[in-house]
Amino acid sequence: MRTVRVTSSGCLAFLFVLACVLVLEVTTDVEESSDGLNNTREPVWLADVPAAEELIAAAEVAIVGFFQDLEIPIVSTFRSMVQNFQDISFGISNHSEVLKHYNITSSTICLFRQVDKEQLRLDDKNIENTDADKLSRFIQINNLRWVTEYSPLTGSGLFNTMIQTHLLLIMNKESPEYEESMRRYQEVAKLFQGQILFVLVDSSKEENRKVINYFQLKESELPALAVYEMTEDKWDTLSISEVTVEQVQGFCDGFLKEQLVNDDKSEENTLKEEL
Ligand SMILES: *[C@@H]1O[C@H](CO)[C@@H](O)[C@H](O)[C@H]1NC(C)=O
Ligand SMILES: *[C@@H]1O[C@H](CO)[C@@H](O)[C@H](O)[C@H]1NC(C)=O
Ligand SMILES: *[C@@H]1O[C@H](CO)[C@@H](O)[C@H](O)[C@H]1NC(C)=O
């Protein structure tokens, strides 16, 4: 469980340089509700612990507002988010039993994620000066899924996770193979829960060119997989013609195995140095 700062400092290479630079420039453009979206959506009222647990377990990303007092301004700000993030489950509770279970002692907004089993909190101190823009940004940054689409905002969220290895599928979202590829990619993502974060980079977007260039990939080599390890700044790429479960899984296993071998070697070296 971590309390999160909305902006990250001390950026590392790649995504993170990019994210940190851009995140300052990006204004939160919340998607307008349009046809097909549920304009009457409300947070689910959580009357007991099982209801809260059920909501959290069923969602890739769930956000729960735990409030002792429902009259404070953040509550209506919180409610106003529900319309804007249709892919997230929202819950709200003021029941002491529920608050106690989640160790809440003051008004807190919690984001629960499946992909890295993370629980992020905006608590009293942070909540006081949280307006709709800030809350919206907090959600956009931390809305990490089984497969997260890369953007400057999610780039910043990806940087903020405990998972140090990220796999990128760099592919044109408009290509006919896209949907089937994503289905398979997502399937593999679940196998590597807690080990590798899976990211999609839409190669048709001009602003993603920097990412593609970073991995020294040519247009003709796409679609491609790129795996990246943050602490060591190591990466590898594989040009693919289509996404298959076996290929993605093999690429990930290979990279993780290599990291292990390298770690062992560096441990041996430190040992020798110490002797
Ligand atoms: C819209 O949201 C309301 C309240 O959460 C819910 O009762 C209703 O079933 C939803 N409608 C659709 C079409 O999802
Ligand atoms: C929770 O909110 C409801 C509706 O405003 C209110 O009737 C109830 O007394 C509140 N419960 C607690 C424990 O504050
Ligand atoms: C609440 O805190 C206790 C003790 O630190 C911890 O064991 C428990 O898992 C926490 N509950 C939740 C729901 O995070």
Side-chain angles (χ1 to χ4, degrees):
M1 195 190 307
R2 293 189 300 147
T3 302
V4 152
R5 272 164 302 175
V6 173
T7 46
S8 49
S9 54
C11 297
L12 300 177
F14 166 53
L15 283 177
F16 315 108
V17 171
L18 199 64
C20 292
V21 174
L22 290 177
V23 83
L24 301 172
E25 296 166 1
V26 171
T27 51
T28 18
D29 46 347
V30 170
E31 281 165 38
E32 296 289 325
S33 307
S34 61
D35 300 338
L37 296 186
N38 191 344
N39 291 319
T40 56
R41 231 178 144 227
E42 286 282 333
V44 176
W45 193 256
L46 305 171
D48 51 29
V49 173
E53 284 178 335
E54 193 185 325
L55 178 105
I56 292 163
E60 264 182 83
V61 176
I63 298 179
V64 180
F66 298 102
F67 305 113
Q68 277 148 334
D69 177 0
L70 295 172
E71 302 301 316
I72 58 174
I74 187 68
V75 177
S76 57
T77 309
F78 175 75
R79 284 172 180 269
S80 73
M81 291 298 119
V82 177
Q83 248 61 267
N84 299 333
F85 297 97
Q86 301 269 340
D87 62 347
I88 293 176
S89 296
F90 284 83
I92 187 167
S93 189
N94 70 341
H95 286 260
S96 49
E97 176 209 348
V98 178
L99 271 58
K100 196 167 156 226
H101 177 81
Y102 288 95
N103 299 324
I104 307 290
T105 52
S106 60
S107 295
T108 302
I109 294 173
C110 272
L111 183 147
F112 300 86
R113 283 196 299 244
Q114 297 267 342
V115 67
D116 56 354
K117 300 202 176 85
E118 187 66 277
Q119 181 181 328
L120 306 176
R121 294 183 167 209
L122 276 179
D123 55 22
D124 228 11
K125 268 186 279 136
N126 298 318
I127 265 183
E128 270 170 24
N129 47 22
T130 298
D131 56 14
D133 277 352
K134 278 194 189 150
L135 183 54
S136 181
R137 190 141 133 162
F138 169 78
I139 298 172
Q140 284 178 299
I141 289 175
N142 294 301
N143 186 9
L144 304 185
R145 327 287 304 192
W146 287 115
V147 175
T148 304
E149 180 165 353
Y150 177 76
S151 75
L153 280 170
T154 56
S156 170
L158 290 164
F159 169 72
N160 257 323
T161 61
M162 307 297 273
I163 300 178
Q164 302 289 308
T165 305
H166 298 174
L167 178 72
L168 282 62
L169 169 62
I170 304 170
M171 180 174 204
N172 186 340
K173 269 179 98 171
E174 276 148 37
S175 76
E177 295 83 24
Y178 170 73
E179 273 183 29
E180 180 58 20
S181 298
M182 270 306 278
R183 199 189 55 74
R184 294 179 187 159
Y185 191 56
Q186 181 144 343
E187 194 181 319
V188 188
K190 292 180 184 172
L191 302 176
F192 288 92
Q193 183 181 32
Q195 287 185 288
I196 300 179
L197 278 182
F198 280 52
V199 181
L200 169 76
V201 177
D202 183 0
S203 58
S204 72
K205 286 196 173 146
E206 192 49 43
E207 67 261 33
N208 289 339
R209 190 122 316 264
K210 281 183 197 165
V211 178
I212 299 167
N213 291 343
Y214 180 89
F215 292 109
Q216 299 163 16
L217 287 162
K218 297 191 201 74
E219 194 69 43
S220 60
E221 293 170 312
L222 301 180
L225 296 170
V227 65
Y228 180 85
E229 207 283 329
M230 283 206 277
T231 37
E232 312 250 325
D233 197 13
K234 287 212 179 94
W235 55 270
D236 192 12
T237 58
L238 178 70
S239 185
I240 53 175
S241 54
E242 61 166 344
V243 174
T244 66
V245 170
E246 293 72 24
Q247 197 168 30
V248 177
Q249 199 175 351
F251 184 60
C252 289
D253 282 335
F255 187 78
L256 290 177
K257 203 180 269 174
E258 206 172 292
Q259 297 303 112
L260 276 182
V261 172
N262 288 341
D263 284 354
D264 285 351
K265 274 196 196 131
S266 60
E267 261 169 41
E268 269 170 35
N269 287 341
T270 359
L271 271 180
K272 275 183 200 138
E273 277 164 25
E274 279 168 6
L275 287 176

